[in-house]
Amino acid sequence: MSSTRPDAAAVPPPVLAVREVTVRFAGLTALDAVSFTVAPGSVHAVIGPNGAGKSTCFNVLSGLCRPASGSVRLGDDDLTRLAPHRIAALGVARTFQNIVTTEGTVADNLMLGRHVLTRAGFAASALRLPGAVREQREHLARVREIAELTGLAEHFDAPVTSLSYGDRKRVEFARALCLEPRVLLLDEPVAGMNAAERARTAEVVRDVRDRLGLSVVLVEHDMGLVMRLADEVTVLDFGRRIARGTPDEVRRDPEVLRAYLGTELSGKDVA
């Protein structure tokens, strides 16, 4: 359909490059010259203890926070000082730590994710002009596909308030996918879930990455999930990058072991 990115799976997403990003709040340095690169089609985890700068990093990537210095580029596009809606239009979608859903059905919530892709104006939609009706029908069909992909098909017409916690978190994940992103930012996607919900969500994230060919940047405290899903890991501590590499490399890094909870953790504990 004209309002999606039909070649998203066929064409790899561009490289997401974070270069020397520094963020300060009232004299406090939240990020200190942080750099990392997200390879096309990879799952890249950003981890670290509480207060390490992970949320600030995500806020920079999604345009909610502007750095004092440094840059963020998605391929040839400079995202550093763009507004959130412009970053979203370039193909960067984000979920949040806390569930952000509206009243209504799963379908209603997922359709909200299509707003950046909607071409028909308010008047055309309100008057139900043929072009607007056709576009709405196409969006709804795509939303059904994404609900199927994320395991929400059986709940498509159900009120969001009737769903379990894990399913409501998955609604937010699916709504981000409805933007047809090239890069998906997942902020603690399994926080508060039980073991079965965490396993299901990890499976969905892996399946979405493989089938849609997008890049995933993941912030998550569940180290078991991070080590299973991530292709590469960046570790922050007090706003500085202290390690990067594959999960196996990071889990054995002495700086990482010292940083977590301020104790000498074993590689088994971090795994």
Side-chain angles (χ1 to χ4, degrees), residues 13-258:
V15 170
L16 178 66
V18 178
R19 294 290 177 265
E20 299 291 316
V21 166
T22 295
V23 175
R24 298 186 182 92
F25 298 117
L28 173 68
T29 300
L31 290 178
D32 188 0
V34 169
S35 297
F36 60 89
T37 300
V38 180
S42 69
V43 176
H44 191 113
V46 179
I47 68 172
N50 289 332
K54 304 182 299 295
S55 293
T56 300
C57 181
F58 257 36
N59 287 340
V60 170
L61 297 181
S62 57
L64 295 177
C65 176
R66 293 189 176 182
S69 60
S71 67
V72 179
R73 299 190 67 87
L74 181 62
D76 294 330
D77 294 310
D78 189 346
L79 310 184
T80 314
R81 301 211 177 329
L82 295 184
H85 72 277
R86 294 188 61 190
I87 292 176
L90 289 171
V92 179
R94 175 186 178 171
T95 67
F96 291 84
Q97 294 178 18
N98 299 319
I99 296 174
V100 182
T101 56
T102 66
E103 295 293 330
T105 65
V106 170
D108 294 332
N109 275 266
L110 299 194
M111 285 294 284
L112 288 176
R114 306 297 290 180
H115 71 283
V116 171
L117 305 174
T118 299
R119 296 181 179 180
F122 175 78
S125 298
L127 294 172
R128 295 189 60 79
L129 297 182
V133 171
R134 182 171 57 254
E135 183 184 39
Q136 185 80 353
R137 188 163 52 243
E138 291 172 344
H139 280 309
L140 186 60
R142 179 55 176 156
V143 161
R144 284 187 182 277
E145 292 174 359
I146 291 171
E148 182 74 33
L149 178 61
T150 54
L152 291 168
E154 64 181 295
H155 305 301
F156 194 69
D157 295 312
V160 170
T161 53
S162 71
L163 303 184
S164 68
Y165 177 85
D167 283 336
R168 280 184 285 136
K169 287 279 282 187
R170 203 150 55 241
V171 169
E172 186 174 358
F173 173 46
R175 185 173 55 203
L177 287 177
C178 286
L179 181 64
E180 305 290 347
R182 298 184 290 175
V183 177
L184 181 62
L185 310 178
L186 297 180
D187 195 350
E188 298 194 27
V190 301
M193 292 185 181
N194 60 38
E197 290 171 334
R198 289 198 302 270
R200 173 60 177 144
T201 298
E203 178 184 336
V204 169
V205 172
R206 186 182 295 109
D207 192 36
V208 163
R209 189 276 302 266
D210 292 343
R211 293 181 60 178
L212 300 184
L214 46 75
S215 303
V216 177
V217 186
L218 171 72
V219 164
E220 181 53 62
H221 285 291
D222 185 329
M223 289 301 100
L225 180 140
V226 167
M227 296 300 164
R228 289 193 300 272
L229 273 183
D231 299 300
E232 189 167 6
V233 181
T234 293
V235 188
L236 302 180
D237 189 32
F238 292 108
R240 297 181 302 107
R241 190 190 73 195
I242 61 170
R244 65 175 178 180
T246 66
D248 280 342
E249 290 169 342
V250 164
R251 75 205 299 179
R252 293 177 174 85
D253 190 296
E255 283 292 311
V256 176
L257 301 180
R258 280 192 291 270

